[in-house]
């Protein structure tokens, strides 16, 4: 992206603040997982923080940090770079949850694998991810692969565009130019 995604402004709010606000009606608390070097960042420090599990990096580090914080909890996970996601979509995800499955997730773009960063991760699946990352050491573990192997309940999104991550400046411009009024 070339910039801090969490701090990008859409309609006067940061992507991080938008994501936190989107999740708040569906959970008792929202935590933002960050790297230790981001602890003093004013965009992040206004929210309850958890810290990545070093030496891990990326989504596996954040998911492992959440599991260590509350190992018996299911975690509703959302990346901050999906501004097209709506409260209706999160409501549908939450109400479809099946705790007997390894996770509840949206079917990804390829229609086969889950979207791991907009999903409800069950405790056993997070424990498996933590164990695999510990075994792998410096080798990255794919949260998508772990989720896919956990017998997830996969939902078909009503609006697949709502699950699109903003990874480049052109993604952001495309989102801003093509919004259809479905804001969180």
């Amino acid at each position: 992206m070339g910039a801090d995604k969490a701090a990008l402004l859409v309609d006067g709010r940061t992507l991080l603040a938008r994501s936190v606000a989107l999740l708040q009606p569906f959970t008792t608390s929202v935590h933002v997982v960050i790297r230790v070097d981001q602890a003093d960042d004013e965009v992040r420090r206004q929210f309850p923080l958890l810290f990545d599990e070093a030496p891990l990096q990326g989504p596996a580090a954040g998911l492992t940090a959440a599991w260590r914080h509350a190992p018996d909890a299911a975690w509703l996970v959302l990346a901050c770079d999906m501004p097209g996601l709506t409260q209706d979509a999160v409501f549908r995800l939450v109400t479809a949850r099946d705790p007997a499955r390894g996770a509840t997730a949206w079917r990804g773009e390829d229609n086969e694998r889950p979207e791991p960063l907009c999903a409800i991760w069950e405790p056993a699946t997070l424990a498996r991810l933590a164990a695999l990352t510990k075994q792998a050491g410096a080798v990255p573990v794919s949260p998508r692969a772990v989720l896919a192997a956990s017998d997830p309940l996969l939902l078909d999104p009503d609006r697949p565009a709502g699950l699109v991550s903003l990874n480049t400046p052109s993604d952001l411009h495309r989102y801003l130019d093509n919004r259809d009024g479905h804001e969180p």
Side-chain angles (χ1 to χ4, degrees):
M1 176 62 79
D4 180 5
K5 289 186 202 182
L8 292 176
L9 293 175
V10 173
D11 296 330
R13 287 195 307 177
T14 65
L15 288 182
L16 181 58
R18 291 167 59 87
S19 296
V20 169
L22 185 63
L23 294 179
Q24 285 176 327
F26 302 101
T27 184
T28 57
S29 63
V30 177
H31 291 81
V32 175
V33 183
I34 64 171
R35 296 184 318 264
V36 172
D37 66 315
Q38 295 171 319
D40 291 329
D41 177 77
E42 74 179 66
V43 170
R44 291 166 174 84
R45 70 177 179 214
Q46 61 188 302
F47 304 108
L49 300 175
L50 298 176
F51 296 95
D52 279 352
E53 290 290 316
L56 302 175
Q57 294 182 10
L63 290 163
T64 301
W67 175 75
R68 290 205 191 290
H69 178 75
D72 295 327
W75 283 84
L76 173 58
V77 173
L78 177 61
C80 73
D81 64 352
M82 295 180 181
L85 196 67
T86 64
Q87 281 196 334
D88 288 342
V90 177
F91 176 79
R92 187 169 161 228
L93 184 70
V94 169
T95 57
R97 178 183 174 221
D98 181 353
R101 307 285 291 266
T104 304
W106 294 108
R107 193 176 304 278
E109 289 180 41
D110 62 6
N111 287 327
E112 297 297 323
R113 300 180 307 155
E115 170 49 64
L117 300 181
C118 183
I120 301 172
W121 286 70
E122 298 299 334
T125 305
L126 285 167
R128 187 174 314 111
L129 175 67
L132 289 170
T133 56
K134 185 176 181 179
Q135 287 175 344
V139 178
V141 173
S142 166
R144 185 182 315 270
V146 172
L147 202 63
S150 72
D151 184 35
L153 172 61
L154 295 181
L155 306 175
D156 292 314
D158 293 331
R159 292 181 56 249
L163 296 172
V164 172
S165 296
L166 303 181
N167 294 311
T168 66
S170 63
D171 291 343
L172 176 61
H173 294 299
R174 191 170 23 263
Y175 169 76
L176 293 172
D177 291 343
N178 296 316
R179 287 183 288 181
D180 57 10
H182 293 286
E183 294 296 317

